[in-house]
Amino acid sequence: ANRERILPRLVYRDASGALVHWVAECPRAEQPWGLGCIPCAEQARRSGGAASAGGCAFACFGFGRAAGGRRQPLLVKALLRHGNHAAGQRSEHQRIIRPNDAHRDAVRVFGGQQVDWVELPGPSGRASASPATALREAEDDMSPGLGEV
């Protein structure tokens, strides 16, 4: 249920101007399931894993893997922070969470640009009052995770 609410927010604008998801499931069947960041994974691949993104769980599609095959909740706040979508990362005047420069740079390398906010309907079906309020509500509603994996 949480996937439908959070996935539309995990986007960037590609070189053509289209909104595209940066998050995806591991594309390789021979590897364990995990979520990853498409631009960060590509940047790490191109740089031979030497880039700062190379050490990130999102760059190797390892985010959300449970140890020993157990089920665990996905941490939504980590997803929002990776893509620079957390409320405290977006405000130039009151930035309290450091932006993820590696993600931003990976998106830029491929001609894309960071998207701070996507206007989505709130729980009432109407557009949210403000980006900060809606994301704060999303973070609160979805803690601790997207669901179990």
Side-chain angles (χ1 to χ4, degrees), residues 84-124:
N84 294 315
H85 304 298
Q89 289 174 303
R90 295 186 332 275
S91 171
E92 291 297 326
H93 304 290
Q94 191 176 7
R95 184 171 285 160
I96 56 174
I97 301 172
R98 181 185 169 113
N100 182 347
D101 296 333
H103 174 80
R104 184 200 61 227
D105 294 345
V107 167
R108 286 182 182 164
V109 163
F110 302 103
Q113 73 181 110
Q114 188 70 51
V115 173
D116 292 335
W117 177 250
V118 178
E119 188 67 32
L120 296 172
S124 66

Side-chain angles (χ1 to χ4, degrees), residues 5-6 11 13 21 25 28 35 37 40-41 56 62 70 82 96 98-99 103-104 106 108 121 136:
R5 292 196 54 209
I6 191 68
V11 297
R13 198 166 297 279
H21 293 107
E25 293 184 21
R28 294 176 288 285
L35 291 177
C37 174
C40 290
C56 170
R70 295 177 303 208
H82 177 81
I96 56 174
R98 181 185 169 113
H103 174 80
R104 184 200 61 227
R108 286 182 182 164
R136 213 172 1 266

Side-chain angles (χ1 to χ4, degrees), residues 31-57:
Q31 291 186 335
W33 181 91
L35 291 177
C37 174
I38 296 166
C40 290
E42 182 59 20
Q43 176 70 355
R45 185 191 68 76
R46 286 186 180 187
S47 65
S52 59
C56 170

Side-chain angles (χ1 to χ4, degrees), residues 3 15-16 24 35 42 49 65 70 75 77 93 107 121 147 149:
R3 180 181 296 214
S16 73
L35 291 177
E42 182 59 20
R65 287 188 191 148
R70 295 177 303 208
L75 302 176
K77 289 183 181 185
H93 304 290
V107 167
V149 288

